[in-house]
Amino acid sequence: MDNPDLRWELITRYISGECSEDERRQVEEWMEADASNKEMVTLLQKAWEGSPDKPADAWDVDSAWLRYNIRYGKDFENDQETREQPDEMNYIREIGASRRRRSNILRWGSVLAATAMICIAFLFGYQPEETESAEPTELTREIVANHGQRIHLRLSDGTKVILNSGSRITTPNTFSDSTRNIRLEGEAFFDVATDSSRPFLIQAAHSVTEVLGTKFSVKAYSVDEEVQVVVQEGRVALWGRTGDDRFPGKEITRNQMGVIPQGKSPVVNEVKDMEKYLGWTEGKLVFSGDPLSQIETKLERWYDIRLDIDTGLGHADHRLTATFSDEQSLPEVLEAIALSLDLKYKKGKSGGTYIIYE
C-alpha cells in the first residue's frame, strides 16, 4: 500500500469492517510489516468503537479532531504537555513510550483522528438536529456485497458479520435498548456479541432467527426455496413465518443445521462437514457432491461472471466434490472442474461469460 490515498481508503474500510477479504489481507500485512502501522490502526479502532457523547452538528475535520482530543485526553500537537487523565485515557501515553513510535504517531495522529471521526459520522449516520416538529425516524444503513465480493463488517453492538457475494443486510445505525433487529437477503456469517437483555433477530425471507450470542450462518437468497441456518457455536431459535402467521420453531445447537421450506416449520439435522457450509468465510469455494446447477450459481456469485451450461448436459448426472481457494484464478478453477467432470469450457463472446460443454 504505497499510495497514501489508497492506504487510508483501505484502512477506513478495514476499521468499519466493510472491506473485502483481499483488502483485509493487504491491511493486515501492512500492519505486520511495522509495529507503528499496527499501533496507528489500533488508534483508529478505539476511536471507531467509541461513540460521541451526543450527535454532532458539524462533522468537519476541526470539530472531529477536537472531539477526539476530548475523548482520549491527548493532543498530538502538544505532546510535551502533561495532563491528569483517568486511567482509561492513558492508552495514547502508553504508546508514546518509544521515541520512534511516538514520532510516527505525531506525524499521522491528526489524520487518524479526523479519519476516525469522519468514519464514525458516516457509519452511524449522524445528522444535524431537527426542529421539534420533525417526525422522529430510525436511521438505517444497507450494506451490499456484490457478486465477486465478500465484506467483513462490525455492527454497532460489536457483532461481527461476513457478508457473502450477492448479499445485503439492512441494520439500524444504533440498536434499540430492547432488541437488535436486522434484515438479510443472501448469505452471511454472524459472530454475535453477547447481550442477554437484547435478543438478536435476523429476518430473512420467510424465517426469523433469534440468538443471544453465538456463531452461525444464515443463507436466504431470493432464488432459494429454503432458508438454511448453520450453527458453529452456541444455539439459536429458528422459526418460519408467512406474513403475520408464525410456525412452530426449533432450537439449533452447535454443529447442527436448520432448514425451513416456505410455509413450514424448520427441520434440524446434524452437520458432519462444517467446511461445506462455512468454508466461504475463509475464502474457500467448497463443493460436496454438488450438481451443475449449484456449481453454476456458486461460481457466478463468487467470480461475478455468467456461466452458460450446455442444455444437453444432465445437471444431476454431473456432480462435483472439490475445494478451491481465493489464490486460484478463475481459469484454474474452470479447468479443474472441466477435467473432474469430463467436460470442456471456453470463454464466451461477451465479456465475463464462460461456457461449459461436452
Side-chain angles (χ1 to χ4, degrees), residues 15 26 43 46 62 98 106 135 165 268 285 290 324 327 356:
I15 295 301
Q26 287 184 56
L43 287 175
K46 286 182 71 67
D62 290 337
S98 164
L106 290 171
E135 290 293 330
S165 305
V268 179
L285 188 59
D290 292 1
F324 304 101
E327 298 177 356
I356 292 181

Side-chain angles (χ1 to χ4, degrees), residues 121-187:
F122 174 76
L123 289 175
F124 287 85
Y126 290 121
Q127 296 182 359
E129 293 183 1
E130 298 181 356
T131 62
E132 294 183 0
S133 61
E135 290 293 330
T137 59
E138 182 184 33
L139 298 177
T140 62
R141 57 178 173 137
E142 183 180 80
I143 301 97
V144 178
N146 295 318
H147 285 193
Q149 292 183 325
R150 287 181 306 285
I151 295 178
H152 292 246
L153 60 133
R154 185 185 300 172
L155 306 182
S156 64
D157 66 332
T159 291
K160 298 176 183 178
V161 182
I162 306 176
L163 200 59
N164 204 357
S165 305
S167 305
R168 70 181 66 215
I169 65 170
T170 304
T171 173
N173 292 326
T174 303
F175 289 117
S176 71
D177 294 335
S178 59
T179 188
R180 296 170 289 172
N181 199 334
I182 72 168
R183 293 183 179 275
L184 167 70
E185 180 183 329
E187 185 171 17

